[in-house]
Amino acid sequence: MIKVVIVDDEPKLRNGLQTLIPWESLGFTVMAAATNGKEALSVIEEVNPDVVIVDIRMPIMDGLQMIQHLTAAGRHLHFIILSGYADFEYAKQAIKYGVAGYLVKPVDIREMSASLQRVREQIEKERHQAELSQTGGVNREAHLHSLLLSHENIEDPDKRINKTKEAGLLWSGYEVVVVSPRISDEEQFTALNQLSAGLKPIIEGRNKGVVTILPPYTVILLHEPIRGKQRREDLYNEIRNASGGLRFVAASGGGVSVPEEICSSYLKAREALKQAFFSEKDRLLGPNSPALLPLPESLGMTADNAERLEELIFKLYYSLDIGNQTMILPLLNEAASLFLMQGQGEKTVKESFFFLSNAVVHKLTAGTRMESKETEALSRFLNGIFQHENIHDLVENINRFLLAFAEDTEHGGKEQEFKKMIDFMNRHYADNLRLDTLAGLLNYSTAYLGQLFKNKTGEYFNTYLDKVRIQKAKEFLSQGMKVYEVAERVGYANVNYFHGKFKKYEGRSPSDYKNL
């Protein structure tokens, strides 16, 4: 671990840096903190850090004076200086002392992490060079890192080959596998080391390759390309066994034949990892891993995507509102395919599903007030969208939630309304009842009411009305009424038309039924 000392007279900033920066996952450890330059000199002498993060403006001894003192004393340290905007010209004086980074307050965590990453790389390079100068040989791990990261190496090819041979890495073929733990930044350093320790006996102990750590990955360099589906499955299972229960994703970068191409395999493996959200779970991903959701042919790139999304939202609401549960999952898969077709990444896809789900729920609850438990459930669900690691799981979860939410929020309102409509039909069957008339009375679209009616009764509106009328006609015929009188009584102006309908549903004519 690289040792750090923080020097700043502001307690809030000093404590914030110690708690907010993911030091361990970046390969650092904070050894101590000081409130001014004079106090820092004693602390630095005691803990002997590699890096000092120091504020320019401090009482007693400022940051620039401290840097001057340490440099004059021959101390080789890496300084990252902090200052306000007004101190920029003053801070520039520190550049001649070889500061490693300069950040303006308030400190941005991402900028600080990036500066620390650069400092760590520089320190590792210096340590490697020092080791080489002492041993006169090639450090295997450092050379492996150079092979993985050197995209434009200008070193003499013969010299590079000799180094690779000395490091014991000159093989007939290679393939890089990167393993990324699904864990918080704070726990990343420990997780990477745990993976590395578990994999070394399996990979290095069985002479299959070498294992190293390049945060945020544990990296495997195999001494031959992975061939065949079974070998990929076996390797994935070996990684899982070595993980000790850690959640992770892993990807390979394809086989290469020479050391100079190892960096290409590493890059491709990292790119493949980015597709983990869209790929099949529990598999070793690769450059050609298929997408989990194929794009349907019906979706065209020239379509107005905003209009298509609004159409999907309406279809989802419509299907949930009428109780057509079987349509929800296909519609959600269609939405996922639309987002993929637009080239959306993992974060944007989740944001799109957040918007879609929220819009559907608000349509379902329009004009009503959600209870507190429903509001809490919705909030948990929407926030949980961003926690999913796989698009298949995300779609399935949205499907389950929407179905449950639609059922829980029905409140019996539509059910009561539907019962009233059926009762109305049973009392006014002889009138000229039309679906569009009832839809207007109930403030529904004709298509919506027709589908709702079919889902609730199992019959189309006109079929249901015919059956009500025929049932009433049977009662009147049994009372001795004439056929033409019954036809008119139940709403059929044409007796022949009534005759045909009666025979269709009863299998006999009205006269035959009357004479039974």
Side-chain angles (χ1 to χ4, degrees):
M1 297 290 280
I2 298 171
K3 296 185 290 184
V4 179
V5 166
I6 297 172
V7 188
D8 198 293
D9 62 320
E10 298 179 37
K12 185 176 180 181
L13 190 144
R14 191 171 61 245
N15 296 330
L17 286 176
Q18 292 183 71
T19 56
L20 297 177
I21 303 298
W23 296 103
E24 289 196 359
S25 68
L26 293 169
F28 295 82
T29 181
V30 177
M31 301 298 295
T35 59
N36 59 66
K38 186 175 181 181
E39 180 183 335
L41 293 178
S42 299
V43 172
I44 290 169
E45 186 66 29
E46 180 182 348
V47 303
N48 192 28
D50 304 289
V51 179
V52 179
I53 298 172
V54 56
D55 187 15
I56 283 291
R57 295 273 186 188
M58 293 183 296
I60 303 176
M61 178 185 282
D62 65 29
L64 186 57
Q65 292 170 331
M66 186 200 76
I67 293 172
Q68 290 172 332
H69 182 94
L70 290 167
T71 303
R75 296 296 299 266
H76 178 63
L77 296 168
H78 295 263
F79 298 101
I80 296 177
I81 60 175
L82 312 175
S83 78
Y85 284 105
D87 299 324
F88 179 67
E89 292 300 323
Y90 182 63
K92 284 198 297 187
Q93 297 179 42
I95 294 175
K96 63 183 178 182
Y97 296 105
V99 297
Y102 168 75
L103 298 173
V104 176
K105 294 181 178 180
V107 177
D108 183 89
I109 294 175
R110 289 174 296 181
E111 290 181 2
M112 174 63 81
S113 298
S115 292
L116 290 168
Q117 178 82 11
R118 290 192 293 271
V119 170
R120 190 191 72 199
E121 291 173 358
Q122 180 61 31
I123 290 173
E124 288 176 346
K125 181 179 178 181
E126 291 172 0
R127 289 177 176 177
H128 172 54
Q129 290 172 343
E131 185 176 345
L132 289 180
S133 64
Q134 292 174 3
T135 64
V138 176
N139 180 283
R140 186 187 203 191
E141 183 152 353
H143 186 63
L144 172 56
H145 286 194
S146 74
L147 291 171
L148 291 165
L149 298 172
S150 300
H151 313 304
E152 296 180 4
N153 196 282
I154 58 174
E155 188 177 41
D156 177 76
D158 291 337
K159 186 176 180 181
R160 189 171 178 81
I161 288 294
N162 287 335
K163 283 186 176 181
T164 304
K165 186 175 182 180
E166 285 184 50
L169 299 173
L170 189 60
W171 306 330
S172 59
Y174 308 87
E175 183 158 4
V176 175
V177 176
V178 292
V179 186
S180 177
R182 295 282 199 180
I183 206 160
S184 65
D185 288 344
E186 292 76 15
E187 300 174 296
Q188 187 184 87
F189 184 79
T190 301
L192 292 175
N193 279 282
Q194 180 179 325
L195 278 168
S196 177
L199 285 167
K200 281 182 180 292
I202 297 171
I203 303 300
E204 296 182 1
R206 300 175 187 175
N207 197 31
K208 294 179 179 181
V210 294
V211 179
T212 188
I213 295 174
L214 272 177
Y217 312 116
T218 295
V219 181
I220 305 168
L221 179 64
L222 298 170
H223 65 55
E224 62 179 25
I226 308 168
R227 294 184 174 89
K229 180 180 178 181
Q230 187 59 51
R231 179 66 190 103
R232 297 185 70 83
E233 291 179 0
D234 291 344
L235 179 58
Y236 183 86
N237 288 331
E238 289 171 346
I239 297 171
R240 181 163 53 192
N241 292 337
S243 70
L246 282 172
R247 292 183 300 110
F248 68 90
V249 288
S252 64
V256 295
S257 56
V258 293
E260 289 79 6
E261 294 176 349
I262 289 174
C263 59
S264 174
S265 183
Y266 176 61
L267 279 176
K268 289 178 180 178
R270 289 173 57 182
E271 287 300 312
L273 269 191
K274 294 178 183 178
Q275 299 302 311
F277 178 70
F278 304 104
S279 303
E280 191 175 359
K281 294 190 301 179
D282 302 327
R283 294 288 184 273
L284 179 63
L285 306 176
N288 300 314
S289 295
L292 185 62
L293 295 170
L295 300 182
E297 295 180 2
S298 60
L299 292 178
M301 287 298 290
T302 60
D304 186 326
N305 292 326
E307 288 185 7
R308 193 177 293 279
L309 180 57
E310 286 298 325
E311 181 183 347
L312 284 170
I313 289 171
F314 177 77
K315 286 181 177 179
L316 283 163
Y317 156 68
Y318 181 99
S319 300
L320 288 164
D321 207 33
I322 64 175
N324 191 356
Q325 298 186 356
T326 59
M327 279 298 296
I328 305 307
L329 188 57
L331 286 170
L332 290 172
N333 282 328
E334 186 177 341
S337 295
L338 173 63
F339 302 150
L340 293 178
M341 181 193 69
Q342 293 172 322
Q344 295 187 14
E346 177 179 342
K347 181 184 177 188
T348 312
V349 166
K350 290 176 178 177
E351 290 171 348
S352 295
F353 269 120
F354 181 102
F355 171 79
L356 177 146
S357 302
N358 197 38
V360 171
V361 166
H362 280 283
K363 281 184 177 292
L364 286 170
T365 57
T368 63
R369 183 176 179 178
M370 282 193 289
E371 297 178 7
S372 59
K373 65 176 183 179
E374 294 166 349
T375 304
E376 291 171 7
L378 175 61
S379 179
R380 286 195 302 271
F381 160 71
L382 291 174
N383 290 329
I385 285 176
F386 296 96
Q387 308 306 315
H388 282 275
E389 298 172 355
N390 182 269
I391 194 169
H392 175 76
D393 290 346
L394 174 58
V395 169
E396 289 282 357
N397 185 58
I398 294 173
N399 177 57
R400 287 192 297 269
F401 177 83
L402 289 180
L403 290 176
F405 189 88
E407 183 176 343
D408 290 344
T409 56
E410 192 171 52
H411 300 309
K414 287 187 176 63
E415 198 67 36
Q416 288 298 112
E417 199 169 63
F418 185 78
K419 288 178 179 178
K420 289 179 181 178
M421 183 175 67
I422 294 296
D423 181 63
F424 181 87
M425 291 178 68
N426 280 303
R427 287 185 289 109
H428 298 277
Y429 57 87
D431 296 338
N432 184 25
L433 291 183
R434 295 169 54 88
L435 182 63
D436 55 357
T437 303
L438 287 176
L441 291 171
L442 297 171
N443 200 27
Y444 291 140
S445 72
T446 303
Y448 171 82
L449 187 59
Q451 186 64 57
L452 177 64
F453 199 95
K454 178 69 164 60
N455 285 359
K456 293 289 188 179
T457 67
E459 305 279 6
Y460 290 107
F461 176 83
N462 288 333
T463 301
Y464 186 89
L465 180 58
D466 279 336
K467 289 186 174 181
V468 170
R469 286 173 168 175
I470 297 305
Q471 186 61 38
K472 294 295 182 182
K474 287 163 60 179
E475 294 177 15
F476 294 137
L477 289 169
S478 298
Q479 295 170 13
M481 291 180 62
K482 297 183 181 301
V483 172
Y484 73 88
E485 292 176 331
V486 172
E488 186 176 349
R489 186 76 174 267
V490 297
Y492 294 110
N494 188 308
V495 69
N496 290 330
Y497 185 71
F498 168 63
H499 187 280
K501 286 288 185 181
F502 195 97
K503 192 167 185 179
K504 175 182 177 181
Y505 292 110
E506 294 300 318
R508 60 176 67 91
S509 69
S511 300
D512 289 341
Y513 180 85
K514 181 181 178 181
N515 296 326
L516 282 178

